[in-house]
PDB file of all heavy atoms in Angstrom:
ATOM      1  N   ILE A 394     -97.483 -99.816  89.273  1.00 84.00           N
ATOM      2  CA  ILE A 394     -97.781 -99.786  87.823  1.00 84.00           C
ATOM      3  C   ILE A 394     -97.188-101.050  87.196  1.00 84.00           C
ATOM      4  O   ILE A 394     -96.010-101.346  87.392  1.00 84.00           O
ATOM      5  CB  ILE A 394     -97.190 -98.537  87.155  1.00 84.00           C
ATOM      6  CG1 ILE A 394     -97.786 -97.253  87.771  1.00 84.00           C
ATOM      7  CG2 ILE A 394     -97.437 -98.563  85.655  1.00 84.00           C
ATOM      8  CD1 ILE A 394     -97.118 -96.000  87.276  1.00 84.00           C
ATOM      9  N   TYR A 395     -98.009-101.755  86.445  1.00 79.00           N
ATOM     10  CA  TYR A 395     -97.535-102.944  85.740  1.00 79.00           C
ATOM     11  C   TYR A 395     -97.201-102.601  84.289  1.00 79.00           C
ATOM     12  O   TYR A 395     -98.107-102.195  83.528  1.00 79.00           O
ATOM     13  CB  TYR A 395     -98.590-104.055  85.813  1.00 79.00           C
ATOM     14  CG  TYR A 395     -98.759-104.607  87.212  1.00 79.00           C
ATOM     15  CD1 TYR A 395     -99.746-104.139  88.068  1.00 79.00           C
ATOM     16  CD2 TYR A 395     -97.919-105.604  87.678  1.00 79.00           C
ATOM     17  CE1 TYR A 395     -99.894-104.624  89.352  1.00 79.00           C
ATOM     18  CE2 TYR A 395     -98.034-106.106  88.977  1.00 79.00           C
ATOM     19  CZ  TYR A 395     -99.035-105.614  89.800  1.00 79.00           C
ATOM     20  OH  TYR A 395     -99.146-106.089  91.067  1.00 79.00           O
ATOM     21  N   PRO A 396     -95.959-102.704  83.888  1.00 87.00           N
ATOM     22  CA  PRO A 396     -95.572-102.328  82.529  1.00 87.00           C
ATOM     23  C   PRO A 396     -96.389-103.019  81.438  1.00 87.00           C
ATOM     24  O   PRO A 396     -96.639-102.434  80.383  1.00 87.00           O
ATOM     25  CB  PRO A 396     -94.091-102.751  82.453  1.00 87.00           C
ATOM     26  CG  PRO A 396     -93.622-102.699  83.870  1.00 87.00           C
ATOM     27  CD  PRO A 396     -94.798-103.104  84.702  1.00 87.00           C
ATOM     28  N   LYS A 397     -96.800-104.266  81.701  1.00 84.00           N
ATOM     29  CA  LYS A 397     -97.551-104.997  80.681  1.00 84.00           C
ATOM     30  C   LYS A 397     -98.839-104.291  80.277  1.00 84.00           C
ATOM     31  O   LYS A 397     -99.278-104.352  79.145  1.00 84.00           O
ATOM     32  CB  LYS A 397     -97.838-106.415  81.154  1.00 84.00           C
ATOM     33  CG  LYS A 397     -98.393-107.338  80.077  1.00 84.00           C
ATOM     34  CD  LYS A 397     -98.385-108.783  80.579  1.00 84.00           C
ATOM     35  CE  LYS A 397     -98.892-109.726  79.501  1.00 84.00           C
ATOM     36  NZ  LYS A 397    -100.345-109.602  79.313  1.00 84.00           N
ATOM     37  N   GLU A 398     -99.450-103.597  81.238  1.00 83.00           N
ATOM     38  CA  GLU A 398    -100.697-102.888  80.930  1.00 83.00           C
ATOM     39  C   GLU A 398    -100.411-101.730  79.959  1.00 83.00           C
ATOM     40  O   GLU A 398    -101.196-101.470  79.049  1.00 83.00           O
ATOM     41  CB  GLU A 398    -101.299-102.351  82.233  1.00 83.00           C
ATOM     42  CG  GLU A 398    -102.653-101.697  82.052  1.00 83.00           C
ATOM     43  CD  GLU A 398    -103.268-101.253  83.345  1.00 83.00           C
ATOM     44  OE1 GLU A 398    -102.709-101.559  84.426  1.00 83.00           O
ATOM     45  OE2 GLU A 398    -104.330-100.579  83.308  1.00 83.00           O
ATOM     46  N   ILE A 399     -99.297-101.038  80.157  1.00 91.00           N
ATOM     47  CA  ILE A 399     -98.926 -99.959  79.255  1.00 91.00           C
ATOM     48  C   ILE A 399     -98.534-100.518  77.885  1.00 91.00           C
ATOM     49  O   ILE A 399     -98.902 -99.993  76.836  1.00 91.00           O
ATOM     50  CB  ILE A 399     -97.759 -99.136  79.835  1.00 91.00           C
ATOM     51  CG1 ILE A 399     -98.152 -98.628  81.236  1.00 91.00           C
ATOM     52  CG2 ILE A 399     -97.397 -97.977  78.927  1.00 91.00           C
ATOM     53  CD1 ILE A 399     -97.001 -97.977  81.984  1.00 91.00           C
ATOM     54  N   GLU A 400     -97.791-101.624  77.893  1.00 91.00           N
ATOM     55  CA  GLU A 400     -97.391-102.266  76.640  1.00 91.00           C
ATOM     56  C   GLU A 400     -98.619-102.722  75.864  1.00 91.00           C
ATOM     57  O   GLU A 400     -98.654-102.608  74.622  1.00 91.00           O
ATOM     58  CB  GLU A 400     -96.469-103.471  76.940  1.00 91.00           C
ATOM     59  CG  GLU A 400     -95.115-103.058  77.493  1.00 91.00           C
ATOM     60  CD  GLU A 400     -94.375-104.195  78.155  1.00 91.00           C
ATOM     61  OE1 GLU A 400     -94.911-105.324  78.225  1.00 91.00           O
ATOM     62  OE2 GLU A 400     -93.237-103.977  78.610  1.00 91.00           O
ATOM     63  N   ALA A 401     -99.624-103.236  76.561  1.00 86.00           N
ATOM     64  CA  ALA A 401    -100.842-103.685  75.886  1.00 86.00           C
ATOM     65  C   ALA A 401    -101.539-102.516  75.199  1.00 86.00           C
ATOM     66  O   ALA A 401    -102.076-102.658  74.097  1.00 86.00           O
ATOM     67  CB  ALA A 401    -101.778-104.366  76.882  1.00 86.00           C
ATOM     68  N   ALA A 402    -101.540-101.341  75.853  1.00 89.00           N
ATOM     69  CA  ALA A 402    -102.165-100.156  75.239  1.00 89.00           C
ATOM     70  C   ALA A 402    -101.390 -99.700  74.005  1.00 89.00           C
ATOM     71  O   ALA A 402    -101.982 -99.404  72.961  1.00 89.00           O
ATOM     72  CB  ALA A 402    -102.256 -99.036  76.268  1.00 89.00           C
ATOM     73  N   LEU A 403    -100.085 -99.678  74.095  1.00 94.00           N
ATOM     74  CA  LEU A 403     -99.252 -99.302  72.949  1.00 94.00           C
ATOM     75  C   LEU A 403     -99.443-100.270  71.789  1.00 94.00           C
ATOM     76  O   LEU A 403     -99.470 -99.852  70.627  1.00 94.00           O
ATOM     77  CB  LEU A 403     -97.786 -99.249  73.372  1.00 94.00           C
ATOM     78  CG  LEU A 403     -97.379 -98.104  74.272  1.00 94.00           C
ATOM     79  CD1 LEU A 403     -95.991 -98.378  74.898  1.00 94.00           C
ATOM     80  CD2 LEU A 403     -97.353 -96.786  73.511  1.00 94.00           C
ATOM     81  N   ALA A 404     -99.568-101.557  72.100  1.00 90.00           N
ATOM     82  CA  ALA A 404     -99.646-102.581  71.068  1.00 90.00           C
ATOM     83  C   ALA A 404    -100.945-102.501  70.260  1.00 90.00           C
ATOM     84  O   ALA A 404    -101.009-103.091  69.169  1.00 90.00           O
ATOM     85  CB  ALA A 404     -99.497-103.961  71.679  1.00 90.00           C
ATOM     86  N   THR A 405    -101.934-101.810  70.764  1.00 91.00           N
ATOM     87  CA  THR A 405    -103.183-101.690  69.996  1.00 91.00           C
ATOM     88  C   THR A 405    -103.019-100.749  68.806  1.00 91.00           C
ATOM     89  O   THR A 405    -103.883-100.715  67.915  1.00 91.00           O
ATOM     90  CB  THR A 405    -104.345-101.207  70.888  1.00 91.00           C
ATOM     91  OG1 THR A 405    -104.024 -99.926  71.421  1.00 91.00           O
ATOM     92  CG2 THR A 405    -104.627-102.186  72.006  1.00 91.00           C
ATOM     93  N   ASN A 406    -101.943 -99.959  68.788  1.00 92.00           N
ATOM     94  CA  ASN A 406    -101.679 -99.133  67.619  1.00 92.00           C
ATOM     95  C   ASN A 406    -101.209 -99.997  66.468  1.00 92.00           C
ATOM     96  O   ASN A 406    -100.243-100.741  66.611  1.00 92.00           O
ATOM     97  CB  ASN A 406    -100.615 -98.072  67.962  1.00 92.00           C
ATOM     98  CG  ASN A 406    -100.425 -97.038  66.868  1.00 92.00           C
ATOM     99  OD1 ASN A 406    -100.138 -97.384  65.727  1.00 92.00           O
ATOM    100  ND2 ASN A 406    -100.611 -95.777  67.214  1.00 92.00           N
ATOM    101  N   PRO A 407    -101.861 -99.943  65.324  1.00 90.00           N
ATOM    102  CA  PRO A 407    -101.523-100.862  64.204  1.00 90.00           C
ATOM    103  C   PRO A 407    -100.115-100.656  63.670  1.00 90.00           C
ATOM    104  O   PRO A 407     -99.606-101.527  62.940  1.00 90.00           O
ATOM    105  CB  PRO A 407    -102.562-100.526  63.138  1.00 90.00           C
ATOM    106  CG  PRO A 407    -103.092 -99.174  63.506  1.00 90.00           C
ATOM    107  CD  PRO A 407    -103.000 -99.076  64.988  1.00 90.00           C
ATOM    108  N   ALA A 408     -99.467 -99.546  64.004  1.00 92.00           N
ATOM    109  CA  ALA A 408     -98.106 -99.311  63.526  1.00 92.00           C
ATOM    110  C   ALA A 408     -97.037 -99.878  64.451  1.00 92.00           C
ATOM    111  O   ALA A 408     -95.857 -99.890  64.103  1.00 92.00           O
ATOM    112  CB  ALA A 408     -97.862 -97.825  63.313  1.00 92.00           C
ATOM    113  N   VAL A 409     -97.448-100.358  65.629  1.00 92.00           N
ATOM    114  CA  VAL A 409     -96.487-100.840  66.621  1.00 92.00           C
ATOM    115  C   VAL A 409     -96.193-102.320  66.401  1.00 92.00           C
ATOM    116  O   VAL A 409     -97.112-103.157  66.469  1.00 92.00           O
ATOM    117  CB  VAL A 409     -96.999-100.602  68.046  1.00 92.00           C
ATOM    118  CG1 VAL A 409     -96.089-101.294  69.059  1.00 92.00           C
ATOM    119  CG2 VAL A 409     -97.073 -99.119  68.332  1.00 92.00           C
ATOM    120  N   LEU A 410     -94.947-102.647  66.135  1.00 90.00           N
ATOM    121  CA  LEU A 410     -94.517-104.025  65.971  1.00 90.00           C
ATOM    122  C   LEU A 410     -94.280-104.681  67.327  1.00 90.00           C
ATOM    123  O   LEU A 410     -94.792-105.758  67.602  1.00 90.00           O
ATOM    124  CB  LEU A 410     -93.223-104.073  65.132  1.00 90.00           C
ATOM    125  CG  LEU A 410     -92.573-105.438  64.924  1.00 90.00           C
ATOM    126  CD1 LEU A 410     -93.518-106.397  64.218  1.00 90.00           C
ATOM    127  CD2 LEU A 410     -91.281-105.292  64.130  1.00 90.00           C
ATOM    128  N   GLU A 411     -93.539-104.034  68.227  1.00 91.00           N
ATOM    129  CA  GLU A 411     -93.328-104.533  69.563  1.00 91.00           C
ATOM    130  C   GLU A 411     -92.871-103.385  70.431  1.00 91.00           C
ATOM    131  O   GLU A 411     -92.436-102.331  69.948  1.00 91.00           O
ATOM    132  CB  GLU A 411     -92.316-105.675  69.603  1.00 91.00           C
ATOM    133  CG  GLU A 411     -90.942-105.336  69.063  1.00 91.00           C
ATOM    134  CD  GLU A 411     -90.004-106.521  69.120  1.00 91.00           C
ATOM    135  OE1 GLU A 411     -90.375-107.550  69.705  1.00 91.00           O
ATOM    136  OE2 GLU A 411     -88.883-106.406  68.618  1.00 91.00           O
ATOM    137  N   CYS A 412     -92.989-103.577  71.744  1.00 92.00           N
ATOM    138  CA  CYS A 412     -92.638-102.514  72.650  1.00 92.00           C
ATOM    139  C   CYS A 412     -92.240-103.091  74.013  1.00 92.00           C
ATOM    140  O   CYS A 412     -92.543-104.239  74.318  1.00 92.00           O
ATOM    141  CB  CYS A 412     -93.803-101.521  72.825  1.00 92.00           C
ATOM    142  SG  CYS A 412     -95.317-102.281  73.410  1.00 92.00           S
ATOM    143  N   ALA A 413     -91.600-102.278  74.798  1.00 93.00           N
ATOM    144  CA  ALA A 413     -91.230-102.640  76.156  1.00 93.00           C
ATOM    145  C   ALA A 413     -91.272-101.394  77.023  1.00 93.00           C
ATOM    146  O   ALA A 413     -90.876-100.301  76.587  1.00 93.00           O
ATOM    147  CB  ALA A 413     -89.812-103.247  76.182  1.00 93.00           C
ATOM    148  N   VAL A 414     -91.755-101.569  78.240  1.00 94.00           N
ATOM    149  CA  VAL A 414     -91.852-100.474  79.194  1.00 94.00           C
ATOM    150  C   VAL A 414     -91.078-100.852  80.436  1.00 94.00           C
ATOM    151  O   VAL A 414     -91.244-101.959  80.967  1.00 94.00           O
ATOM    152  CB  VAL A 414     -93.332-100.157  79.529  1.00 94.00           C
ATOM    153  CG1 VAL A 414     -93.405 -99.117  80.662  1.00 94.00           C
ATOM    154  CG2 VAL A 414     -94.084 -99.681  78.303  1.00 94.00           C
ATOM    155  N   VAL A 415     -90.235 -99.939  80.915  1.00 93.00           N
ATOM    156  CA  VAL A 415     -89.462-100.174  82.130  1.00 93.00           C
ATOM    157  C   VAL A 415     -89.547 -98.944  83.002  1.00 93.00           C
ATOM    158  O   VAL A 415     -89.949 -97.861  82.574  1.00 93.00           O
ATOM    159  CB  VAL A 415     -87.955-100.481  81.806  1.00 93.00           C
ATOM    160  CG1 VAL A 415     -87.837-101.760  80.987  1.00 93.00           C
ATOM    161  CG2 VAL A 415     -87.315 -99.307  81.097  1.00 93.00           C
ATOM    162  N   GLY A 416     -89.120 -99.110  84.248  1.00 91.00           N
ATOM    163  CA  GLY A 416     -89.080 -98.000  85.167  1.00 91.00           C
ATOM    164  C   GLY A 416     -87.778 -97.252  85.079  1.00 91.00           C
ATOM    165  O   GLY A 416     -86.707 -97.866  85.007  1.00 91.00           O
ATOM    166  N   ALA A 417     -87.847 -95.929  85.058  1.00 90.00           N
ATOM    167  CA  ALA A 417     -86.667 -95.088  85.042  1.00 90.00           C
ATOM    168  C   ALA A 417     -86.603 -94.291  86.328  1.00 90.00           C
ATOM    169  O   ALA A 417     -87.682 -93.895  86.876  1.00 90.00           O
ATOM    170  CB  ALA A 417     -86.681 -94.153  83.824  1.00 90.00           C
ATOM    171  N   PRO A 418     -85.426 -94.026  86.869  1.00 88.00           N
ATOM    172  CA  PRO A 418     -85.338 -93.287  88.138  1.00 88.00           C
ATOM    173  C   PRO A 418     -85.839 -91.852  87.997  1.00 88.00           C
ATOM    174  O   PRO A 418     -85.627 -91.206  86.969  1.00 88.00           O
ATOM    175  CB  PRO A 418     -83.840 -93.334  88.449  1.00 88.00           C
ATOM    176  CG  PRO A 418     -83.163 -93.554  87.120  1.00 88.00           C
ATOM    177  CD  PRO A 418     -84.115 -94.398  86.331  1.00 88.00           C
ATOM    178  N   ASP A 419     -86.506 -91.391  89.031  1.00 84.00           N
ATOM    179  CA  ASP A 419     -87.025 -90.029  89.056  1.00 84.00           C
ATOM    180  C   ASP A 419     -86.777 -89.474  90.460  1.00 84.00           C
ATOM    181  O   ASP A 419     -87.111 -90.115  91.458  1.00 84.00           O
ATOM    182  CB  ASP A 419     -88.501 -90.002  88.739  1.00 84.00           C
ATOM    183  CG  ASP A 419     -89.066 -88.585  88.682  1.00 84.00           C
ATOM    184  OD1 ASP A 419     -89.026 -87.975  87.607  1.00 84.00           O
ATOM    185  OD2 ASP A 419     -89.525 -88.105  89.747  1.00 84.00           O
ATOM    186  N   PRO A 420     -86.181 -88.268  90.572  1.00 76.00           N
ATOM    187  CA  PRO A 420     -85.828 -87.741  91.892  1.00 76.00           C
ATOM    188  C   PRO A 420     -87.014 -87.432  92.801  1.00 76.00           C
ATOM    189  O   PRO A 420     -86.872 -87.437  94.006  1.00 76.00           O
ATOM    190  CB  PRO A 420     -85.051 -86.467  91.542  1.00 76.00           C
ATOM    191  CG  PRO A 420     -85.493 -86.085  90.158  1.00 76.00           C
ATOM    192  CD  PRO A 420     -85.770 -87.365  89.474  1.00 76.00           C
ATOM    193  N   LEU A 421     -88.179 -87.196  92.203  1.00 74.00           N
ATOM    194  CA  LEU A 421     -89.358 -86.859  92.994  1.00 74.00           C
ATOM    195  C   LEU A 421     -90.249 -88.053  93.237  1.00 74.00           C
ATOM    196  O   LEU A 421     -90.688 -88.311  94.361  1.00 74.00           O
ATOM    197  CB  LEU A 421     -90.139 -85.748  92.269  1.00 74.00           C
ATOM    198  CG  LEU A 421     -91.440 -85.329  92.970  1.00 74.00           C
ATOM    199  CD1 LEU A 421     -91.150 -84.740  94.350  1.00 74.00           C
ATOM    200  CD2 LEU A 421     -92.199 -84.326  92.096  1.00 74.00           C
ATOM    201  N   LEU A 422     -90.487 -88.840  92.188  1.00 80.00           N
ATOM    202  CA  LEU A 422     -91.483 -89.916  92.255  1.00 80.00           C
ATOM    203  C   LEU A 422     -90.842 -91.296  92.489  1.00 80.00           C
ATOM    204  O   LEU A 422     -91.560 -92.262  92.661  1.00 80.00           O
ATOM    205  CB  LEU A 422     -92.312 -89.944  90.969  1.00 80.00           C
ATOM    206  CG  LEU A 422     -93.117 -88.662  90.690  1.00 80.00           C
ATOM    207  CD1 LEU A 422     -93.688 -88.680  89.279  1.00 80.00           C
ATOM    208  CD2 LEU A 422     -94.250 -88.543  91.709  1.00 80.00           C
ATOM    209  N   GLY A 423     -89.541 -91.378  92.466  1.00 79.00           N
ATOM    210  CA  GLY A 423     -88.892 -92.674  92.615  1.00 79.00           C
ATOM    211  C   GLY A 423     -88.668 -93.363  91.265  1.00 79.00           C
ATOM    212  O   GLY A 423     -87.551 -93.601  90.865  1.00 79.00           O
ATOM    213  N   GLU A 424     -89.770 -93.681  90.594  1.00 86.00           N
ATOM    214  CA  GLU A 424     -89.710 -94.287  89.266  1.00 86.00           C
ATOM    215  C   GLU A 424     -90.822 -93.732  88.406  1.00 86.00           C
ATOM    216  O   GLU A 424     -91.878 -93.368  88.915  1.00 86.00           O
ATOM    217  CB  GLU A 424     -89.899 -95.808  89.348  1.00 86.00           C
ATOM    218  CG  GLU A 424     -88.721 -96.631  89.873  1.00 86.00           C
ATOM    219  CD  GLU A 424     -89.028 -98.107  89.820  1.00 86.00           C
ATOM    220  OE1 GLU A 424     -90.006 -98.531  90.469  1.00 86.00           O
ATOM    221  OE2 GLU A 424     -88.315 -98.840  89.120  1.00 86.00           O
ATOM    222  N   VAL A 425     -90.571 -93.708  87.119  1.00 92.00           N
ATOM    223  CA  VAL A 425     -91.611 -93.360  86.152  1.00 92.00           C
ATOM    224  C   VAL A 425     -91.502 -94.336  84.977  1.00 92.00           C
ATOM    225  O   VAL A 425     -90.415 -94.841  84.670  1.00 92.00           O
ATOM    226  CB  VAL A 425     -91.472 -91.901  85.645  1.00 92.00           C
ATOM    227  CG1 VAL A 425     -91.780 -90.916  86.740  1.00 92.00           C
ATOM    228  CG2 VAL A 425     -90.097 -91.671  85.053  1.00 92.00           C
ATOM    229  N   PRO A 426     -92.623 -94.634  84.287  1.00 93.00           N
ATOM    230  CA  PRO A 426     -92.565 -95.563  83.154  1.00 93.00           C
ATOM    231  C   PRO A 426     -92.001 -94.895  81.903  1.00 93.00           C
ATOM    232  O   PRO A 426     -92.320 -93.754  81.595  1.00 93.00           O
ATOM    233  CB  PRO A 426     -94.036 -95.952  82.947  1.00 93.00           C
ATOM    234  CG  PRO A 426     -94.824 -94.835  83.503  1.00 93.00           C
ATOM    235  CD  PRO A 426     -94.002 -94.256  84.649  1.00 93.00           C
ATOM    236  N   VAL A 427     -91.137 -95.635  81.226  1.00 95.00           N
ATOM    237  CA  VAL A 427     -90.541 -95.205  79.967  1.00 95.00           C
ATOM    238  C   VAL A 427     -90.747 -96.309  78.944  1.00 95.00           C
ATOM    239  O   VAL A 427     -90.554 -97.495  79.254  1.00 95.00           O
ATOM    240  CB  VAL A 427     -89.029 -94.891  80.138  1.00 95.00           C
ATOM    241  CG1 VAL A 427     -88.386 -94.590  78.780  1.00 95.00           C
ATOM    242  CG2 VAL A 427     -88.835 -93.728  81.078  1.00 95.00           C
ATOM    243  N   ALA A 428     -91.170 -95.932  77.742  1.00 96.00           N
ATOM    244  CA  ALA A 428     -91.475 -96.901  76.703  1.00 96.00           C
ATOM    245  C   ALA A 428     -90.438 -96.895  75.590  1.00 96.00           C
ATOM    246  O   ALA A 428     -89.966 -95.805  75.185  1.00 96.00           O
ATOM    247  CB  ALA A 428     -92.843 -96.636  76.125  1.00 96.00           C
ATOM    248  N   PHE A 429     -90.116 -98.076  75.097  1.00 96.00           N
ATOM    249  CA  PHE A 429     -89.272 -98.261  73.909  1.00 96.00           C
ATOM    250  C   PHE A 429     -90.123 -98.980  72.888  1.00 96.00           C
ATOM    251  O   PHE A 429     -90.666-100.074  73.162  1.00 96.00           O
ATOM    252  CB  PHE A 429     -88.014 -99.062  74.257  1.00 96.00           C
ATOM    253  CG  PHE A 429     -87.089 -98.372  75.211  1.00 96.00           C
ATOM    254  CD1 PHE A 429     -87.335 -98.418  76.587  1.00 96.00           C
ATOM    255  CD2 PHE A 429     -86.011 -97.655  74.748  1.00 96.00           C
ATOM    256  CE1 PHE A 429     -86.513 -97.787  77.482  1.00 96.00           C
ATOM    257  CE2 PHE A 429     -85.146 -97.015  75.642  1.00 96.00           C
ATOM    258  CZ  PHE A 429     -85.400 -97.067  77.005  1.00 96.00           C
ATOM    259  N   VAL A 430     -90.252 -98.414  71.686  1.00 95.00           N
ATOM    260  CA  VAL A 430     -91.207 -98.925  70.704  1.00 95.00           C
ATOM    261  C   VAL A 430     -90.515 -99.159  69.352  1.00 95.00           C
ATOM    262  O   VAL A 430     -89.764 -98.302  68.884  1.00 95.00           O
ATOM    263  CB  VAL A 430     -92.383 -97.933  70.515  1.00 95.00           C
ATOM    264  CG1 VAL A 430     -93.399 -98.466  69.489  1.00 95.00           C
ATOM    265  CG2 VAL A 430     -93.078 -97.684  71.860  1.00 95.00           C
ATOM    266  N   VAL A 431     -90.823-100.294  68.748  1.00 94.00           N
ATOM    267  CA  VAL A 431     -90.374-100.615  67.386  1.00 94.00           C
ATOM    268  C   VAL A 431     -91.596-100.611  66.491  1.00 94.00           C
ATOM    269  O   VAL A 431     -92.629-101.224  66.809  1.00 94.00           O
ATOM    270  CB  VAL A 431     -89.692-101.996  67.322  1.00 94.00           C
ATOM    271  CG1 VAL A 431     -89.257-102.315  65.885  1.00 94.00           C
ATOM    272  CG2 VAL A 431     -88.499-102.046  68.269  1.00 94.00           C
ATOM    273  N   GLY A 432     -91.522 -99.893  65.366  1.00 92.00           N
ATOM    274  CA  GLY A 432     -92.654 -99.849  64.429  1.00 92.00           C
ATOM    275  C   GLY A 432     -92.553-100.882  63.344  1.00 92.00           C
ATOM    276  O   GLY A 432     -91.479-101.421  63.069  1.00 92.00           O
ATOM    277  N   TYR A 433     -93.675-101.198  62.712  1.00 90.00           N
ATOM    278  CA  TYR A 433     -93.664-102.069  61.559  1.00 90.00           C
ATOM    279  C   TYR A 433     -92.861-101.423  60.427  1.00 90.00           C
ATOM    280  O   TYR A 433     -92.883-100.181  60.316  1.00 90.00           O
ATOM    281  CB  TYR A 433     -95.080-102.364  61.066  1.00 90.00           C
ATOM    282  CG  TYR A 433     -95.764-103.484  61.801  1.00 90.00           C
ATOM    283  CD1 TYR A 433     -96.640-103.262  62.824  1.00 90.00           C
ATOM    284  CD2 TYR A 433     -95.528-104.822  61.430  1.00 90.00           C
ATOM    285  CE1 TYR A 433     -97.276-104.289  63.497  1.00 90.00           C
ATOM    286  CE2 TYR A 433     -96.151-105.863  62.089  1.00 90.00           C
ATOM    287  CZ  TYR A 433     -97.025-105.583  63.122  1.00 90.00           C
ATOM    288  OH  TYR A 433     -97.644-106.629  63.783  1.00 90.00           O
ATOM    289  N   PRO A 434     -92.195-102.212  59.601  1.00 86.00           N
ATOM    290  CA  PRO A 434     -91.447-101.622  58.478  1.00 86.00           C
ATOM    291  C   PRO A 434     -92.344-100.779  57.586  1.00 86.00           C
ATOM    292  O   PRO A 434     -93.468-101.157  57.281  1.00 86.00           O
ATOM    293  CB  PRO A 434     -90.923-102.859  57.718  1.00 86.00           C
ATOM    294  CG  PRO A 434     -90.891-103.943  58.749  1.00 86.00           C
ATOM    295  CD  PRO A 434     -92.041-103.670  59.656  1.00 86.00           C
TER     296      PRO A 434
END
Side-chain angles (χ1 to χ4, degrees):
I394 299 173
Y395 291 95
K397 190 169 181 287
E398 185 177 354
I399 305 172
E400 292 164 358
L403 289 165
T405 60
N406 188 302
V409 171
L410 176 60
E411 59 180 353
C412 58
V414 173
V415 298
D419 183 89
L421 178 62
L422 299 169
E424 285 183 301
V425 291
V427 173
F429 296 82
V430 180
V431 179
Y433 275 98

